[in-house]
Amino acid sequence: MDNVTVGNFNHTDCPFSPLGSYIIVRMHTVEEKTLQGLYVPNTKDTGVCKAIVSKTNAGRWVLDGTKQVPSAVQPGDIVYFFKQNAFEIPHTGFFLVPEEILLCKGV
């Protein structure tokens, strides 16, 4: 897997590998700037989140177990999903997200 670097952060530095139909993402943080010039981080716990894919699974197996379907996203892709459906990996900044709940892939 190639290293994917966005800005100064290497998104494949995650020490975990997802199993099943899960992917590992890092939230794309956007800070808002007030009129006074202060930066306010986005602290919403619900709603649609934007994240950058760090690692993907090898693919998922169809129900009869005879064929593996490759993942629809690749490391470095930007994805959108509801945060309440993601699982935070404690003390890492990474989230484990089921691929089935992705709303869309974007830029």
Side-chain angles (χ1 to χ4, degrees):
M1 181 181 302
D2 295 332
N3 284 344
V4 177
T5 304
V6 177
N8 292 330
F9 180 75
N10 186 337
H11 290 280
T12 57
D13 284 344
C14 180
F16 304 100
S17 294
L19 299 175
S21 62
Y22 286 88
I23 61 172
I24 296 177
V25 300
R26 180 168 297 245
M27 294 295 182
H28 185 276
T29 57
V30 177
E31 295 178 334
E32 296 180 20
K33 188 176 180 181
T34 65
L35 293 175
Q36 293 79 16
L38 299 174
Y39 286 97
V40 180
N42 184 359
T43 57
K44 271 184 147 177
D45 285 338
T46 60
V48 176
C49 291
K50 179 179 181 181
I52 300 171
V53 176
S54 295
K55 286 191 177 177
T56 62
N57 51 43
R60 61 179 174 80
W61 291 93
V62 294
L63 290 178
D64 62 4
T66 59
K67 182 179 175 187
Q68 192 172 20
V69 178
S71 179
V73 294
Q74 299 300 318
D77 286 349
I78 294 176
V79 293
Y80 296 87
F81 59 93
F82 288 109
K83 187 173 181 180
Q84 64 264 27
N85 294 330
F87 305 97
E88 185 173 5
I89 302 172
H91 312 292
T92 64
F94 291 100
F95 287 79
L96 193 60
V97 179
E99 192 172 353
E100 296 85 23
I101 63 117
L102 295 178
L103 300 174
C104 64
K105 180 168 85 167
V107 291

